[in-house]
Amino acid sequence: MATHTPRPPRRWRRVELLIEVPAVICTFVMMIHISANALLRAFLNLPIPNTLEIVQYWYLPLVAFLGFVAAQYRGQHIATDLIYQRLPQASRRYVLALVFAACSALSAAFAWFVG
C-alpha cells in the first residue's frame, strides 16, 4: 500500500523552483559547452579555450551547491539507497559500520599524508 505524502504549501514550491531551475539550466549549459568543445576539438581542431577551468570552477560548484541546498531544504540526504533499502534490518547495521570505518580510515589517511 502506497503512503500519501501531503503536498507542500505553494510558497515552498516556488522556493524549490528557484533552486532547481538554475541547477537544471546550468547543467544543460555545461553539457552544451562540453559537447561543443569536444566536437570542435575533434573535427575542426579548434577547442574552446579554458573549458576545463570553466567547468571545474564555475559549472560544477554551482550545480553541486544548488543540489546541496535543494536537499537541505527538503530535509533529505544525498545518498544512493538502491541496495541499502533492500537489505534486511540486521544487515544494515553492519553495512553502516563498514562504511563508517572505511570513511574514518580514509579521513585519517588524508590527515596523515596532508599534515
Side-chain angles (χ1 to χ4, degrees):
M1 177 188 298
T3 60
H4 175 67
T5 56
R7 293 190 70 168
R10 190 175 191 92
R11 95 181 140 83
W12 287 7
R13 284 297 304 152
R14 288 187 196 139
V15 173
E16 285 180 345
L17 288 175
L18 286 173
I19 296 169
E20 292 171 0
V21 169
V24 170
I25 291 171
C26 183
T27 302
F28 276 108
V29 170
M30 177 176 62
M31 181 177 62
I32 291 168
H33 188 157
I34 293 170
S35 298
N37 180 58
L39 291 171
L40 288 170
R41 183 184 43 183
F43 294 113
L44 299 177
N45 200 23
L46 292 170
I48 300 173
N50 303 319
T51 296
L52 177 65
E53 289 80 9
I54 292 170
V55 168
Q56 107 183 14
Y57 293 123
W58 289 97
Y59 294 135
L60 289 179
L62 186 61
V63 170
F65 287 131
L66 285 173
F68 294 151
V69 169
Q72 182 68 31
Y73 183 76
R74 291 182 183 144
Q76 297 174 335
H77 297 283
I78 297 176
T80 54
D81 292 332
L82 185 64
I83 297 172
Y84 183 76
Q85 292 298 328
R86 294 188 175 139
L87 292 174
Q89 191 67 28
S91 299
R92 290 182 187 183
R93 284 185 244 139
Y94 294 114
V95 169
L96 279 179
L98 180 68
V99 169
F100 289 155
C103 289
S104 298
L106 186 62
S107 296
F110 280 144
W112 177 264
F113 288 109
V114 170

